[in-house]
Amino acid sequence: MNKKKVFLSAGIVFLCFGSFIFSQSNYTKIKTSSEESKSGSQVYGAFSVPNPQLAASTEDYLVTAGDIYELGFAANGKAVSYSIVVDSSYSVKVANVGVVNGYGKTFMQLKKEVEQIINKNYPMSGVQLVITSPASFKVTLVGEVKETAVVSAWGLSRLSAVISENLTPFSSMRNIEIKSHDGTVKTYDLFKAKRDADLSQDPYLRPDDVITIGRRDRMVSIQGAVERPGSYELLQGENIKELINIYGGGLLDRADASRVEVLRTDGVIKSAGKKIYLDEKIIESNFEVMNYDTVYIYSYSDLKPIAFFEGAVLLKRDEDSATELLGSNKISITFDVDENYAFFIRRNAGLFTSVSDLKNAYIRRGDTFIPLNLEEILYDVDYYSTEVVKNYDTILIPFLQSFVTVAGAVKKPGRYPYIPDRNWSYYVGLAGGFDKSENAGQVITIKDKNNKRHSKSDPITPETTITAESTAFTYYFNKYAPLITTTLTAISTVLTIYIATKNTD
């Protein structure tokens, strides 16, 4: 009978207390970072809203002044449930049977002690202690920050999250001090937390912490053949060896340590900076780098020989306007020593367009011209070229687009794109039509690229020249009338002088 009463009491506690647990999400809402930044109020860090489930599931969540817990158990067959508010003394009263000091303890440690006390006084009571509302508190940001600020946080707010929105371009991530409520001062390095996953360097914040952000001494960039290029804040005594091996992650396999370039801007006023060239010996001596230095490490791949594509080629392999080249282009491409032309052309097939004359391409090597049929290379899988790429080779790709020339007595003489199955009048129309002051009767001469004459009824072929003849009377009249008039005037003048001279005699 006593066992039944115990189980009945435990069931009552579960039903009463469980209903509270499943409804505990209805606590007062606290503003998130985005909401508070819009209203100009405080800023929260990661896990910004105090979350009871998250606090309960995190082993190292510390008991914090302002936490609200709910304690439930069965006493003498009756369900007992009441709230516990942790005050600044951290003395947690456990019903009327004891007091536990929660300072410096995790919630799980406190929970274990409280439940042991209840079980000791009320065996088989089904005791439960849960977090219903984790505390939020204030911390102060000073030092190299946008402005001194009092910022909201809670027991799972880490240092990095709380300071992130208040840093300046000169804030140090390697020299951050936290002065605790008890006066203890500790220094933290967020780079170690990020790079080495050393979360002891990115601690949870506590009530009334004062965070002082230092000003960085040196920010140095490293680029090129290293595993982790980027900008890094160096500590005192750290120089180029640490920058390459620690911060940059070490050299890549093809890095050329004999060719290291440093661009120095610190102290250089009247120019963009000065370049310093280093070799392996200087690096081994741990060359001193200065604030704002940029270190570039070259790769042997940078020394690859180059060849050129010129003519009907794109400047980029992924260019969208692949069929609309406005003119000839020239682009340089690196290649491997002794690379076969078949592989080289296939690797760069994206440079060619529908107007590239692949069949009539050729290589210009000094004063030598070598024919190269790119259609065979691209479309015959068994094709293998006997030619290898040489340094400074130029692969010339002619335009496949043909033209028709319209000349003579038209308004806009010039060359126009060839369109199959169009007659002579189409091209004359492109040239603006006949100039009627010069051409009468649409008299034209048509000659193909071999200088053979054709009639108007013959089809127009590529590179044909259509000449509109000047046949209008007014054209010839205007052309020769000034000459005839001048000649007659001269004759008239001579006759007048002659007659006047004869009459005098």
Side-chain angles (χ1 to χ4, degrees):
M1 186 66 180
N2 289 335
K3 288 185 179 181
K4 289 183 179 181
K5 287 183 179 181
V6 170
F7 283 116
L8 180 60
S9 299
I12 293 172
V13 170
F14 178 79
L15 290 174
C16 296
F17 197 56
S19 63
F20 179 82
I21 294 173
F22 290 114
S23 65
Q24 62 185 344
S25 61
N26 295 322
Y27 53 84
T28 303
K29 182 180 178 183
I30 299 176
K31 287 185 178 180
T32 63
S33 298
S34 60
E35 291 172 334
E36 294 210 335
S37 60
K38 288 178 181 178
S39 64
S41 183
Q42 296 92 346
V43 179
Y44 287 90
F47 304 132
S48 56
V49 178
N51 186 312
Q53 286 85 4
L54 185 61
S57 63
T58 304
E59 289 187 2
D60 53 354
Y61 177 81
L62 291 175
V63 175
T64 304
D67 281 353
I68 301 176
Y69 307 141
E70 190 74 13
L71 177 64
F73 59 93
N76 300 321
K78 294 181 179 180
V80 177
S81 176
Y82 64 94
S83 296
I84 299 175
V85 179
V86 181
D87 60 25
S88 59
S89 70
Y90 286 90
S91 294
V92 178
K93 295 180 181 180
V94 184
N96 59 348
V97 294
V99 176
V100 176
N101 182 10
Y103 186 79
K105 295 178 180 177
T106 67
F107 171 73
M108 296 306 296
Q109 291 172 333
L110 177 70
K111 176 183 171 71
K112 184 177 180 181
E113 289 187 35
V114 169
E115 291 179 351
Q116 285 178 344
I117 291 173
I118 295 297
N119 282 325
K120 183 177 179 180
N121 290 273
Y122 302 99
M124 302 295 290
S125 61
V127 61
Q128 285 285 335
L129 180 70
V130 297
I131 303 176
T132 59
S133 181
S136 60
F137 50 83
K138 304 295 184 182
V139 297
T140 304
L141 298 183
V142 297
E144 187 57 46
V145 291
K146 294 176 182 177
E147 59 182 3
T148 299
V150 177
V151 181
S152 296
W154 71 293
L156 292 181
S157 295
R158 288 193 181 273
L159 170 63
S160 59
V162 170
I163 69 173
S164 60
E165 295 186 15
N166 215 12
L167 299 175
T168 75
F170 308 101
S171 298
S172 172
M173 303 298 286
R174 315 294 306 273
N175 180 25
I176 303 175
E177 290 184 351
I178 299 181
K179 183 177 181 181
S180 301
H181 179 67
D182 61 3
T184 303
V185 178
K186 293 183 178 179
T187 302
Y188 297 95
D189 185 340
L190 288 179
F191 173 80
K192 292 182 178 179
K194 183 178 179 180
R195 173 63 69 86
D196 303 328
D198 182 1
L199 293 183
S200 68
Q201 297 296 316
D202 189 12
Y204 293 127
L205 298 178
R206 302 302 296 156
D208 300 322
D209 279 351
V210 177
I211 303 167
T212 303
I213 309 296
R215 187 179 176 88
R216 73 181 188 209
D217 291 326
R218 288 182 298 165
M219 181 63 75
V220 181
S221 296
I222 184 167
Q223 305 294 334
V226 291
E227 292 185 2
R228 295 188 175 197
S231 296
Y232 298 99
E233 180 185 351
L234 271 59
L235 300 177
Q236 288 291 333
E238 294 180 336
N239 285 296
I240 198 165
K241 288 179 70 174
E242 290 80 11
L243 179 64
I244 294 172
N245 299 322
I246 298 175
Y247 297 93
L251 298 174
L252 296 177
D253 290 340
R254 292 185 59 79
D256 184 359
S258 66
R259 294 190 307 135
V260 178
E261 180 181 287
V262 178
L263 176 62
R264 177 157 293 171
T265 57
D266 190 40
V268 180
I269 306 298
K270 296 182 179 180
S271 67
K274 66 177 182 180
K275 287 189 176 181
I276 304 171
Y277 299 95
L278 310 179
D279 56 23
E280 289 181 274
K281 291 182 179 179
I282 299 178
I283 293 174
E284 283 301 318
S285 67
N286 208 7
F287 175 81
E288 182 180 0
V289 289
M290 299 177 63
N291 194 27
Y292 300 124
D293 277 358
T294 298
V295 178
Y296 188 89
I297 299 178
Y298 285 89
S299 167
Y300 288 111
S301 300
D302 299 329
L303 298 175
K304 279 187 174 183
I306 62 169
F308 301 93
F309 284 93
E310 184 175 352
V313 294
L314 301 172
L315 293 175
K316 296 180 180 179
R317 293 184 180 89
D318 57 351
E319 195 165 329
D320 294 331
S321 55
T323 59
E324 297 183 5
L325 287 176
L326 299 179
S328 177
N329 291 322
K330 187 172 183 179
I331 183 173
S332 60
I333 302 290
T334 59
F335 64 91
D336 295 318
V337 177
D338 296 329
E339 184 173 1
N340 186 275
Y341 254 106
F343 298 100
F344 181 63
I345 295 299
R346 288 165 185 161
R347 181 162 58 85
N348 294 286
L351 296 174
F352 309 129
T353 79
S354 59
V355 299
S356 300
D357 188 357
L358 302 178
K359 186 177 290 186
N360 295 306
Y362 57 94
I363 305 166
R364 183 174 64 204
R365 182 178 293 159
D367 296 329
T368 305
F369 295 87
I370 305 170
L372 190 66
N373 188 341
L374 303 189
E375 284 191 352
E376 288 184 343
I377 292 176
L378 293 173
Y379 305 126
D380 184 353
V381 294
D382 297 324
Y383 181 85
Y384 180 82
S385 175
T386 57
E387 197 68 45
V388 296
V389 189
K390 299 293 186 181
N391 201 20
Y392 300 121
D393 273 0
T394 299
I395 302 93
L396 290 152
I397 315 294
F399 279 83
L400 189 62
Q401 177 71 62
S402 299
F403 296 87
V404 172
T405 301
V406 183
V410 291
K411 295 179 180 178
K412 297 178 181 179
R415 286 172 58 80
Y416 296 94
Y418 170 75
I419 305 296
D421 301 325
R422 300 298 175 92
N423 61 17
W424 63 270
S425 63
Y426 169 78
Y427 297 101
V428 172
L430 291 178
F434 291 105
D435 185 344
K436 294 182 180 180
S437 66
E438 297 185 26
N439 183 283
Q442 299 184 345
V443 179
I444 60 173
T445 300
I446 302 174
K447 293 183 179 180
D448 64 19
K449 63 181 180 180
N450 298 316
N451 210 30
K452 181 180 179 181
R453 294 175 67 98
H454 290 269
S455 67
K456 288 184 176 180
S457 60
D458 290 338
I460 301 298
T461 57
E463 303 305 324
T464 290
T465 299
I466 302 172
T467 304
E469 303 295 343
S470 299
T471 59
F473 170 75
T474 54
Y475 168 74
Y476 287 106
F477 178 80
N478 293 331
K479 181 177 182 180
Y480 295 109
L483 178 62
I484 295 171
T485 301
T486 302
T487 302
L488 291 175
T489 300
I491 294 171
S492 176
T493 302
V494 171
L495 289 174
T496 300
I497 295 172
Y498 173 76
I499 292 171
T501 303
K502 188 173 182 182
N503 290 337
T504 302
D505 293 341

